[in-house]
Amino acid sequence: MDNKDKIGMFDSGVGGLTVMRQVQKLLPNESIIYFGDTARVPYGEKSRDTIISYSKEIAFFLLEQGIKVLVIACNTAASACSGNRLQQIFNIPVISVIDPAVQRAVEVTKSGRIAVLATRGTVKSGAYQQEITKRLPQATVFPIACPLLVPLVEERMVDHPATRLIVKEYLKPLRDYNVDTLLLGCTHYPLLSEMIQAEIDDQITIVDSATTCAIEVQKQLLIHQLNTEKTKPDYHFYVSDDPENFRLNGQFFLGHPIHKVHSSIEQLISR
Amino acid sequence: MDNKDKIGMFDSGVGGLTVMRQVQKLLPNESIIYFGDTARVPYGEKSRDTIISYSKEIAFFLLEQGIKVLVIACNTAASACSGNRLQQIFNIPVISVIDPAVQRAVEVTKSGRIAVLATRGTVKSGAYQQEITKRLPQATVFPIACPLLVPLVEERMVDHPATRLIVKEYLKPLRDYNVDTLLLGCTHYPLLSEMIQAEIDDQITIVDSATTCAIEVQKQLLIHQLNTEKTKPDYHFYVSDDPENFRLNGQFFLGHPIHKVHSSIEQLISR
């Protein structure tokens, strides 16, 4: 087993790479190991128990690679594993992509009126709505399901007029909702944040769950004195399906080239 | 067991209902039983062997309900079960959504230059390309993957300006390809046929696989003297996942209300 010196993170696919991108920006000395469960993507339609069992499997795999902190960079997995479900099992800090975004949203809102853009599955799960009102009971949450944004981002159409038309339409109800905070509750959406920003009132603050998650990782490393300051960082990528496919698609989400992706099929199947 | 008096058809989801719609139009006296494998949708990323085994399971289920002809109304299943794989097992006519469309395309083309619009999975499988060149070896096939059309149709945005922009973009290469025939190789695309027609040269003939499949069903019933002329038709719907979800979404594809959907989970699991 390696030394416990890496940040471990996982998602059902490539989306979590937007979280990794922010972690790399904020913590350029840290080594990262990323797991994409591409054989079992999408998690959205699967049962809670199935997703928890997948998440545990992946967490064990990452722990064996020597991680010092675990980031659940997948909204569906983070929602299924809410309430410290993984933190209770593992002796390293576990950070969910949902919690820091929710915390930030309730800090920045003045009116308590918060919109959440997410996939239909995340909206239906009620994860953001529940977490927000748990922290700020007087909050009014307006979830907006944006089912086409994931396929559009995956087609790299983040600067396309068709995407702009669709974004405009999804954001239309904001006028009536009169929110002061807009939470991007899907790992794909940071790639559309400029377009979204251009379509909304300047007075509305955007909370991007990838950025807030990276800040929380930085904070947890500080609290637990786990920072790496001197090494040259390593980045490793593991997937449960075709590595090349992930490599080609992942680069767009990560924002820089991915050179090698390992297949972890045997390791996971052998459990 | 019922009398063998129904047309049986299946798809991985709701898409095949566009085929059913054409069959209903052409054969208004025929009873139909439709199976949507909604628990295991999408088939696109699954292995050939898995899809063949699902298709056999569903075919057995439909045969037990008393069908006289079986329609594979799913491009992925039809491609996996190509070469009469199911016809060799069952003693009723088996009709694939692919074959009649290919046959029609090679009949109408004069130049032998045929474009095929399909999902990325169908394009990658090479099913249409192979079947066309098998029948017309001098044909030049231009497959165009249109990954966003399925999600756009599922969001019912068949008349939306964003969809038009995306359709325009997918069809842009047609100018260079100089085809005289355009085959719609996905069950969702008939719902976009008007929009597609408006974007292409009038000289190009559209072959819609739902319509050609319905014509083939009519032909097979005639050949095997299986027509029903006098009864009031029954329509039955079975799914492997949530019936209500299918009922609500399916109506858009079928073009008229669906009143009742049965869940077939127990029947399939008991095998």
Side-chain angles (χ1 to χ4, degrees):
Chain A
M1 194 192 282
D2 296 346
N3 292 328
K4 285 171 72 170
D5 62 356
K6 302 179 195 76
I7 295 170
M9 37 204 309
F10 75 92
D11 177 35
S12 57
V14 288
L17 291 170
T18 62
V19 182
M20 175 161 169
R21 183 179 192 155
Q22 295 305 324
V23 173
Q24 283 185 318
K25 212 193 260 181
L26 208 60
L27 301 162
N29 296 321
E30 297 293 341
S31 291
I32 303 173
I33 173 166
Y34 181 97
F35 187 96
D37 196 5
T38 50
R40 302 187 289 202
V41 73
Y43 281 4
E45 302 293 310
K46 298 186 168 74
S47 76
R48 190 182 170 88
D49 285 346
T50 300
I51 296 165
I52 293 171
S53 118
Y54 290 174
S55 302
K56 282 185 193 165
E57 258 179 38
I58 297 166
F60 279 121
F61 171 78
L62 289 172
L63 277 163
E64 280 174 358
Q65 315 304 310
I67 59 167
K68 58 185 177 185
V69 54
L70 175 67
V71 180
I72 311 177
C74 168
N75 278 282
T76 312
S79 161
C81 300
S82 63
N84 291 324
R85 201 178 278 266
L86 291 190
Q87 186 64 82
Q88 287 158 2
I89 306 175
F90 302 110
N91 61 357
I92 57 169
V94 177
I95 298 158
S96 138
V97 70
I98 294 178
D99 298 334
V102 166
Q103 188 56 39
R104 178 80 188 139
V106 304
E107 279 164 18
V108 300
T109 186
K110 289 191 182 88
S111 65
R113 299 174 74 84
I114 302 169
V116 178
L117 303 190
T119 63
R120 195 167 274 147
T122 300
V123 167
K124 219 170 143 193
S125 80
Y128 279 96
Q129 296 96 302
Q130 284 156 23
E131 291 300 320
I132 290 172
T133 47
K134 204 188 283 174
R135 286 176 174 80
L136 189 70
Q138 70 273 31
T140 316
V141 186
F142 300 91
I144 302 178
C146 308
L148 286 165
L149 299 190
V150 165
L152 285 163
V153 169
E154 291 188 345
E155 292 303 315
R156 306 183 191 192
M157 288 167 61
V158 296
D159 198 27
H160 195 283
T163 309
R164 190 173 298 274
L165 280 177
I166 290 167
V167 163
K168 258 184 211 291
E169 204 155 296
Y170 286 145
L171 296 175
K172 212 180 276 173
L174 280 189
R175 279 180 228 153
D176 299 328
Y177 293 166
N178 194 25
V179 300
D180 67 357
T181 307
L182 176 65
L183 197 161
L184 307 186
C186 171
T187 53
H188 284 57
Y189 299 175
L191 293 166
L192 291 170
S193 64
E194 274 180 46
M195 189 183 274
I196 291 168
Q197 184 77 70
E199 295 300 329
I200 60 171
D201 193 315
D202 283 349
Q203 305 303 310
I204 299 176
T205 307
I206 290 183
V207 175
D208 148 12
S209 57
T211 304
T212 52
C213 186
I215 295 171
E216 182 64 20
V217 174
Q218 184 182 42
K219 197 173 128 191
Q220 289 295 324
L221 292 184
L222 273 172
I223 291 175
H224 295 90
Q225 298 182 303
L226 290 167
N227 302 59
T228 310
E229 289 299 348
K230 44 195 172 185
T231 60
K232 193 177 160 293
D234 278 333
Y235 302 123
H236 288 279
F237 301 90
Y238 285 83
V239 291
S240 48
D241 200 350
D242 181 31
E244 186 56 12
N245 205 15
F246 178 91
R247 197 182 70 74
L248 292 172
N249 291 327
Q251 306 184 132
F252 177 68
F253 287 79
L254 191 59
H256 58 79
I258 296 176
H259 300 295
K260 181 152 177 56
V261 179
H262 309 272
S263 168
S264 72
I265 294 173
E266 298 81 29
Q267 288 99 320
L268 276 185
I269 284 173
S270 69
R271 291 184 185 288
Chain B
M1 193 191 281
D2 296 348
N3 292 328
K4 285 172 73 169
D5 61 356
K6 303 180 193 76
I7 295 170
M9 37 203 312
F10 74 93
D11 178 35
S12 57
V14 288
L17 291 170
T18 61
V19 181
M20 175 161 168
R21 183 179 192 156
Q22 295 305 324
V23 173
Q24 284 185 318
K25 213 193 260 179
L26 209 59
L27 300 162
N29 295 321
E30 297 292 342
S31 292
I32 303 175
I33 173 166
Y34 182 97
F35 186 97
D37 196 4
T38 50
R40 303 188 289 202
V41 73
Y43 281 3
E45 301 293 311
K46 297 187 168 73
S47 75
R48 190 182 170 88
D49 285 347
T50 301
I51 297 164
I52 292 171
S53 117
Y54 290 174
S55 303
K56 283 184 192 164
E57 259 179 38
I58 297 165
F60 280 121
F61 171 78
L62 289 172
L63 276 164
E64 281 173 357
Q65 314 306 311
I67 59 168
K68 58 186 176 183
V69 54
L70 175 67
V71 180
I72 311 177
C74 167
N75 278 282
T76 312
S79 161
C81 300
S82 63
N84 292 324
R85 201 179 277 268
L86 290 191
Q87 186 63 82
Q88 287 158 3
I89 306 174
F90 301 111
N91 61 356
I92 58 169
V94 177
I95 297 158
S96 138
V97 69
I98 294 178
D99 297 335
V102 165
Q103 188 56 39
R104 178 81 187 139
V106 304
E107 279 163 17
V108 300
T109 185
K110 289 191 182 90
S111 65
R113 299 175 74 86
I114 301 168
V116 178
L117 302 190
T119 64
R120 194 167 276 145
T122 300
V123 166
K124 219 171 143 192
S125 80
Y128 279 97
Q129 297 95 302
Q130 284 157 23
E131 291 299 322
I132 291 171
T133 47
K134 205 188 282 173
R135 285 176 173 82
L136 189 70
Q138 71 273 30
T140 316
V141 185
F142 300 92
I144 302 178
C146 308
L148 286 166
L149 299 191
V150 166
L152 286 164
V153 170
E154 291 188 345
E155 292 303 315
R156 308 184 189 191
M157 288 167 61
V158 295
D159 198 27
H160 194 282
T163 309
R164 191 173 297 275
L165 280 177
I166 291 167
V167 164
K168 258 184 209 291
E169 204 155 297
Y170 286 144
L171 296 175
K172 212 179 275 172
L174 281 189
R175 280 180 228 155
D176 299 329
Y177 294 165
N178 195 25
V179 299
D180 67 357
T181 307
L182 176 64
L183 196 161
L184 306 186
C186 170
T187 52
H188 284 57
Y189 299 175
L191 293 167
L192 291 169
S193 64
E194 274 181 45
M195 188 183 276
I196 292 169
Q197 183 78 68
E199 295 300 328
I200 61 173
D201 193 318
D202 283 349
Q203 305 303 309
I204 300 177
T205 308
I206 291 183
V207 175
D208 149 12
S209 56
T211 305
T212 52
C213 187
I215 295 170
E216 182 64 20
V217 174
Q218 183 181 43
K219 197 173 128 191
Q220 290 295 324
L221 292 184
L222 273 171
I223 291 175
H224 295 89
Q225 298 181 303
L226 291 166
N227 302 59
T228 311
E229 290 298 347
K230 44 193 173 185
T231 60
K232 193 177 161 293
D234 278 332
Y235 303 122
H236 289 278
F237 302 90
Y238 285 84
V239 291
S240 48
D241 201 348
D242 181 31
E244 187 56 12
N245 205 14
F246 178 91
R247 198 183 67 75
L248 292 173
N249 292 326
Q251 305 183 132
F252 177 67
F253 287 78
L254 190 58
H256 59 78
I258 297 177
H259 299 295
K260 181 153 178 58
V261 179
H262 309 272
S263 169
S264 73
I265 295 174
E266 298 82 27
Q267 288 99 321
L268 276 185
I269 284 174
S270 69
R271 292 186 182 286

